[in-house]
Amino acid sequence: MTALLGVVLVVKGRETVGDLVPWARVTVAVLLVTTFGGLLAATVFAVRAAAGTPGQEILLTGEGLREWTRNEVRASARRIWCAALLTLAALSLLVTALGFTWFGPASDPAKPMVRVVTRGESMCGELVGTAGDDVVVKGEILRKAPINWIVSIEPVKICSRP
């Protein structure tokens, strides 16, 4: 796990998945949860292959021990094979999640919304910038207000209609 963290720190994509569109964020989360589940299952299979089934009775007669050993070798081989497959599948999911964070579609950055109050009117919308001596605000339409007429400019989260 430490090696995986080191790889993530060396090879980075976006700073956060919060920059992705919502469906891509959900996809990355599902892939990571599935990756964790796959690696957890692979670990359980590997531990059971190494230590056997807890509480299993071992017969001490020669024939019983031979039969138990034969069955246990087959079961351990299956568990190791399953652990290897689950590990490869989980790592593939991890690489897919990483690909989504690098190449997934980014959401549009939030535009600064402002309410501009002038001597004659009030405008609300995205602050576009200035053009000469005018402040430009893009609401339903593009509007300009002379700077010397502006009474106040305040940031708002949304423009509500009066």
Side-chain angles (χ1 to χ4, degrees), residues 23-47:
W23 69 264
R25 280 190 300 237
V26 170
T27 301
V28 169
V30 167
L31 286 170
L32 290 177
V33 167
T34 307
T35 297
F36 180 73
L39 290 174
L40 185 64
T43 302
V44 169
F45 274 110
V47 167

Side-chain angles (χ1 to χ4, degrees), residues 2-148:
T2 310
L4 180 62
L5 182 60
V7 169
V8 170
L9 291 176
V10 172
V11 183
K12 282 176 54 174
R14 289 188 171 93
E15 290 296 317
T16 67
V17 293
D19 296 340
L20 296 172
V21 294
W23 69 264
R25 280 190 300 237
V26 170
T27 301
V28 169
V30 167
L31 286 170
L32 290 177
V33 167
T34 307
T35 297
F36 180 73
L39 290 174
L40 185 64
T43 302
V44 169
F45 274 110
V47 167
R48 288 202 50 209
T53 306
Q56 192 173 34
E57 186 178 319
I58 301 173
L59 302 173
L60 297 179
T61 66
E63 189 61 35
L65 184 59
R66 197 170 310 138
E67 181 66 26
W68 176 86
T69 303
R70 198 176 309 124
N71 291 338
E72 192 63 23
V73 167
R74 280 191 217 116
S76 291
R78 278 193 308 271
R79 289 180 192 129
I80 289 171
W81 178 249
C82 288
L85 285 178
L86 281 169
T87 301
L88 288 174
L91 290 177
S92 297
L93 290 173
L94 181 65
V95 168
T96 304
L98 187 62
F100 266 99
T101 61
W102 283 353
F103 305 114
S107 60
D108 291 331
K111 307 268 195 288
M113 304 291 280
V114 294
R115 180 174 318 286
V116 178
V117 179
T118 66
R119 286 186 242 162
E121 65 180 329
S122 176
M123 300 181 285
C124 189
E126 174 190 343
L127 179 61
V128 176
T130 59
D133 288 339
D134 296 330
V135 170
V136 181
V137 176
K138 180 182 176 186
E140 291 178 8
I141 60 170
L142 199 61
R143 298 170 70 184
K144 294 193 289 186
I147 289 178
N148 57 356

